[in-house]
Amino acid sequence: MTPENLAVAAKAAARALGFEACGVTDLASTPAVTAALDVWLTAGRHGQMRYLERQAPTRRDPGRAWPEAQSAVVVLHNYFQDTANPAPGRGRVARYALGDDYHAVMRTKLTSLGEELVGTAGIGAYRVYVDAGPLPERELARRAGLGWFGKNTLLIHRRLGSFTFVGVVLTDLDLARDDPFQSDYCGTCHRCLDACPTGALPAPQVLDATRCVSYLTIESRSPIPEELKPGVGQWLFGCDICQDVCPWNRRFASETIEPRYRAKSPDQWPTLEEIVRMTERECEATFEGTALERAGRSGLARNAAVVLENAAASSGAATG
Ligand code: SF4
Ligand code: SF4
């Protein structure tokens, strides 16, 4: 098959699997992205995420992930849902984490896409990646024509917004490439920078992870710094604020078609008090198969205590 026919077949297969967008690119490095990554790491804005230092060589040069790879098929999958969040007595959870762990869901779908691709070609091999390897997935998505980096650093698609998972199928097959996305549709907007509760977006497209509520409540193994606790607000796990305020999401975000990304019920998880008191075993049993497992018992108990402190402070302020 020709590279053009293979790219058409890959996009048709992606659509049939429920991915809302799909593009193709190669694995060349992007000098501007490499330079920005180096500045970011040197400034220590990645905090305790030391794995990003180890992954840096492949993030700079994606072809190192698999030297035989010729093409990257990049897909987006919408996970937006408009739920009552949080339920009474509970903390807020970022939308991406409300349902089953997306890694497993995406990996299954990406594997089907890879199988379809090599089955159509009659030859070839593939590997799948979803937010768990060294690939610069968002940059590959931009290069595959799927969107631009918003000032909040997230990939924004013109008809989907930014509440999407990015998945990649690398293949040693040669597929016709899409043109990289060159425009930037943020314009003069700076709502995300203004809305961030902890000042974690000091400049457009610069995330200081060490101040970001997502990092503080998920990745960090340290206590949340006193001066940042008020900014954590009601967030038990993650933060959606810089996406919620984005006009592209306000206009285009629509309910996910994937039932496994949906919350089971508004009170599917324990109350904040219950989380503070949970044993390791109870925590594992409660959060198994969800993204919240990543924070672990001590992380979730730490976060729940901070949310309770914030609630007490705001009710004291309201009654005082
Ligand atoms: S996720 Fe929350 S804390 Fe992090 S940059 Fe966005 S608004 Fe700020
Ligand atoms: S809120 Fe405005 S500046 Fe921020 S990512 Fe969205 S469009 Fe861009």
Side-chain angles (χ1 to χ4, degrees), residues 196-198 200-201 207 212-214 239 241-242:
C196 177
T198 50
L201 294 167
L207 173 70
C212 173
V213 175
S214 283
C239 169
I241 292 174
C242 58

Side-chain angles (χ1 to χ4, degrees), residues 122-178:
I123 51 165
Y126 69 90
R127 294 184 187 176
V128 305
Y129 294 82
V130 53
D131 200 20
L135 278 187
E137 284 113 333
R138 283 180 300 128
E139 169 57 7
L140 290 175
R142 187 196 68 76
R143 287 162 51 94
L146 298 182
W148 74 100
F149 294 155
K151 288 178 186 170
N152 59 7
T153 75
L154 300 171
L155 184 92
I156 305 179
H157 183 279
R158 265 198 298 186
R159 282 176 291 100
L160 298 168
S162 65
F163 287 108
T164 59
F165 297 124
V166 182
V168 178
V169 178
L170 295 187
T171 175
D172 56 359
L173 296 166
D174 184 19
L175 276 67
R177 284 86 166 112
D178 288 289

Side-chain angles (χ1 to χ4, degrees), residues 150-152 189-196 201 241-243 245:
K151 288 178 186 170
N152 59 7
C189 174
H190 44 79
R191 286 187 203 182
C192 53
L193 307 189
D194 297 345
C196 177
L201 294 167
I241 292 174
C242 58
Q243 299 199 78
V245 300

Side-chain angles (χ1 to χ4, degrees), residues 202-282:
Q205 296 181 355
V206 176
L207 173 70
D208 183 350
T210 64
R211 299 184 68 87
C212 173
V213 175
S214 283
Y215 167 83
L216 295 170
T217 58
I218 302 172
E219 302 290 342
S220 171
R221 297 289 170 253
S222 305
I224 294 174
E226 281 304 318
E227 74 273 17
L228 298 178
K229 282 183 177 176
V232 171
Q234 295 181 299
W235 292 102
L236 172 69
F237 185 92
C239 169
D240 281 333
I241 292 174
C242 58
Q243 299 199 78
D244 283 339
V245 300
C246 179
W248 291 92
N249 287 328
R250 291 184 167 234
R251 182 154 175 214
F252 292 111
S254 59
E255 290 289 314
T256 178
I257 58 164
E258 173 52 67
R260 288 170 289 182
Y261 295 156
R262 290 184 201 280
K264 309 281 179 288
S265 71
D267 54 0
Q268 62 182 333
W269 287 315
T271 64
L272 293 163
E273 275 95 356
E274 287 165 340
I275 290 174
V276 169
R277 292 194 303 269
M278 246 178 193
T279 65
E280 200 76 47
R281 188 171 296 179
E282 286 167 340

